């Protein structure tokens, strides 16, 4: 392992505009460059310009760059390059990539497959048949990509050995630690041989990330890609104070959604039970909402994510663990149904809106039990929070009527039979013939 300076390296005038630099300028391996070009990957991003040559030299590194900057390819290229001509070691794990979530592991798997068809990386994640993963490990164990839990399971079963691993990557290191994986990560990294290369990549280099790096990296080069002011998300941060009643937050949420009518929303909850409550309430009100939490298997999660990426689903209700690593373009609104006491979590949640030059909104529902956590966030974060008043009854009534009329015209939602019977009985009591007013029956049923 190389012993280079641990001083931070930042973007400066010595780096040209990334559009004038090609992968041919920073990678000597011709077959790898050709594979990149076949995938229309010609010009590296700033983080790739800085990290790839350093990683290819065998140096340990810790790199900070914002989400969407190209970090995955920045470590995938060195991993692939380190495994050239390694067919004789096909039964040994030579590279390990740890990620916080299943979705991120699958994305990395696709990237490595696309630039190196000769490799057969094994994606080791929960929610998938473990026997199939073990079978793949027996076919080609050179690259293993996985989440800490499943990696630990296979190591305990002696189906996965890291004794010969010469490269390891910790992707989204800050998220890994904020999710409570620190003990698993330490246990896994302790199984690595002393002579190996380590790459840490993160959206933010927190003190905890620094401490972990000092324990498992050898004189790492620290690379910080400064955020381009033009790429800073344009997000309006606001909050609503809600009462202490059990249904105060759910009622406030539906009122706000009915008034704002966002095209796409992620609603974050701290617990699985809250995701179930919010999903049920929104669907009851006629909103097409789906939850993702740890109770869903991978195929169920994939179906939900496919729907929201195809813009067939407007409301995603998620816990932080379930949403980690999920990258969805053009999310209009992020709602903190529950306030999390970790500032990093707030940043990761709200960072999913205001992308691609579009304005986004992030709102927090602050109940009496949330005041302490929210006060802490407002002091620690460099963010201006605007207090807003909950929609009035008149605002909600107008918005709800408009929403119901849209539902009726779309003919996509059918009221429950019991609600229709209630609506018909009500009209009958008012002397109105339900048979001659089908739209009115439907409208009353949907609003009941």
């Amino acid at each position: 392992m190389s012993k280079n300076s641990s001083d931070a390296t930042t973007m400066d005038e010595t780096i040209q505009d990334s559009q004038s630099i090609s992968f041919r300028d920073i990678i000597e391996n011709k077959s790898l460059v050709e594979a990149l070009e076949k995938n229309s990957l010609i010009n590296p991003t700033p983080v790739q310009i800085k990290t790839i040559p350093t990683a290819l030299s065998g140096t340990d590194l810790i790199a900070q760059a914002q989400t969407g900057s190209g970090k995955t390819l920045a470590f995938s290229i060195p991993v692939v390059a380190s495994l050239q001509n390694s067919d004789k070691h096909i039964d040994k794990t030579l590279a390990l990539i740890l990620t916080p979530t299943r979705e991120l592991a699958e994305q990395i798997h696709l990237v490595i497959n696309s630039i190196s068809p000769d490799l057969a990386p094994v994606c080791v994640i929960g929610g998938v048949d473990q026997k199939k993963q073990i079978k793949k490990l027996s076919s080609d164990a050179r690259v293993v990509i996985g989440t800490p839990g499943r990696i630990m399971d296979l190591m305990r079963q002696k189906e996965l050995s890291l004794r010969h691993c010469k490269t390891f990557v910790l992707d989204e290191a800050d998220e890994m630690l904020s999710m409570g994986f620190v003990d698993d990560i330490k246990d896994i990294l302790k199984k690595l041989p002393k002579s190996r290369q380590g790459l840490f990549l993160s959206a933010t280099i927190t003190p905890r990330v620094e401490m972990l790096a000092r324990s498992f990296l050898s004189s790492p080069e620290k690379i910080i890609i400064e955020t381009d002011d033009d790429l800073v998300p344009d997000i309006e941060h606001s909050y609503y104070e809600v009462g202490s009643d059990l249904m105060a937050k759910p009622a406030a949420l539906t009122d706000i959604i009915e008034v704002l009518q966002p095209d796409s929303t992620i609603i974050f909850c701290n617990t699985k039970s809250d995701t179930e409550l919010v999903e049920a309430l929104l669907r009851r009100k006629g909103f097409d909402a789906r939850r993702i939490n740890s109770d869903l298997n991978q195929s169920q999660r994939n179906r939900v994510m496919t729907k929201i990426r195809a813009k067939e689903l407007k409301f995603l209700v998620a816990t932080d663990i379930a949403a980690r690593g999920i990258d969805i373009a053009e999310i209009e609104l992020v709602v903190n149904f529950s306030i999390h006491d970790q500032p990093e979590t707030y940043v990761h949640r709200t960072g999913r809106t205001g992308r691609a030059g579009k304005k986004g909104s992030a709102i927090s529902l602050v109940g009496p039990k949330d005041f302490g956590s929210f006060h802490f966030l407002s002091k620690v974060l460099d963010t201006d929070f605007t207090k807003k008043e909950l929609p009035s009854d008149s605002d909600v009534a107008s918005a709800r009527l408009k929403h119901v009329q849209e539902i009726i015209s779309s003919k996509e939602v059918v009221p429950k039979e019991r609600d229709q019977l209630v609506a018909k009985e009500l009209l009958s009591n008012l002397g109105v013939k339900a048979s001659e007013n089908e739209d009115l029956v439907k409208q009353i049923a949907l609003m009941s």
Side-chain angles (χ1 to χ4, degrees), residues 149-353:
R150 183 53 64 90
I151 293 285
M152 290 285 289
D153 286 344
L154 293 176
M155 289 173 62
R156 279 192 289 264
Q157 297 171 39
K158 302 191 182 301
E159 298 290 352
L160 173 64
S161 170
L162 302 179
R163 287 181 299 169
H164 302 280
C165 185
K166 58 182 181 179
T167 305
F168 76 88
V169 177
L170 190 63
D171 190 25
E172 301 292 357
D174 55 342
E175 292 199 39
M176 288 278 233
L177 300 185
S178 70
M179 292 169 66
F181 286 136
V182 62
D183 290 335
D184 285 350
I185 292 169
K186 287 181 178 179
D187 288 342
I188 292 169
L189 298 187
K190 285 176 183 176
K191 301 297 183 182
L192 295 166
K194 290 184 179 180
S195 179
R196 80 285 171 113
Q197 180 186 24
L199 312 174
F200 279 23
L201 294 99
S202 187
T204 56
I205 299 178
T206 63
R208 289 192 296 171
V209 173
E210 291 260 26
M211 187 178 301
L212 192 66
R214 284 197 295 271
S215 299
F216 292 99
L217 300 181
S218 177
S219 301
E221 180 166 339
K222 189 173 180 182
I223 298 171
I224 300 176
I225 306 301
E226 303 291 358
T227 301
D228 187 337
D229 289 340
D230 293 334
L231 298 178
V232 174
D234 183 7
I235 305 171
E236 178 190 21
H237 298 266
S238 57
Y239 69 98
Y240 297 83
E241 291 185 357
V242 301
S244 58
D245 294 342
L246 180 63
M247 294 303 293
K249 272 192 182 182
L253 174 64
T254 54
D255 287 352
I256 292 166
I257 284 177
E258 284 189 305
V259 170
L260 295 181
Q261 290 290 308
D263 287 331
S264 55
T265 303
I266 299 182
I267 302 161
F268 282 101
C269 303
N270 289 347
T271 65
K272 291 188 294 184
S273 59
D274 275 349
T275 63
E276 293 164 1
L277 171 67
V278 172
E279 179 195 48
L281 186 67
L282 289 177
R283 291 179 65 78
R284 170 72 176 172
K285 294 288 186 179
F287 296 104
D288 187 13
R290 293 290 187 278
R291 74 181 186 277
I292 55 169
N293 57 36
S294 57
D295 286 343
L296 274 64
N297 62 38
Q298 193 59 37
S299 61
Q300 291 172 321
R301 288 159 64 104
N302 289 343
R303 283 197 294 271
V304 173
M305 295 314 302
T306 298
K307 282 176 67 69
I308 196 165
R309 289 194 176 106
K311 298 183 179 180
E312 297 172 358
L313 178 67
K314 285 189 175 184
F315 300 96
L316 181 66
V317 187
T319 57
D320 292 290
I321 291 177
R324 295 291 186 178
I326 290 175
D327 189 15
I328 307 167
E330 299 181 14
I331 289 295
E332 182 180 338
L333 175 67
V334 170
V335 179
N336 292 292
F337 182 82
S338 312
I339 307 300
H340 200 285
D341 57 6
Q342 291 293 331
E344 299 99 319
T345 299
Y346 182 87
V347 172
H348 284 301
R349 285 179 175 184
T350 59
R352 289 176 168 85
T353 188

Side-chain angles (χ1 to χ4, degrees), residues 353-398:
T353 188
R355 294 182 176 181
K358 295 190 177 182
K359 187 175 180 62
S361 296
I363 65 175
S364 299
L365 303 181
V366 183
K369 294 181 180 179
D370 302 311
F371 286 146
S373 296
F374 187 74
H375 178 73
F376 175 68
L377 290 179
S378 63
K379 293 296 183 184
V380 172
L381 297 173
D382 185 21
T383 302
D384 293 325
F385 291 94
T386 302
K387 182 179 179 181
K388 292 188 175 182
E389 297 298 325
L390 289 169
S392 67
D393 289 344
S394 177
D395 293 335
V396 175
S398 297

Side-chain angles (χ1 to χ4, degrees), residues 43-64:
N43 303 110
T45 65
V47 69
Q48 293 161 5
I49 292 171
K50 294 298 292 183
T51 58
I52 289 173
T54 301
L56 288 175
S57 72
T59 301
D60 285 8
L61 66 82
I62 176 170
Q64 172 181 299

Side-chain angles (χ1 to χ4, degrees), residues 13 24 88 99 115 134 145 184 215 222 225 323 342 438:
E13 294 178 357
R24 289 182 178 273
K88 61 183 179 181
T99 76
I115 63 174
I134 293 172
I145 308 159
D184 285 350
S215 299
K222 189 173 180 182
I225 306 301
Q342 291 293 331
E438 291 184 4

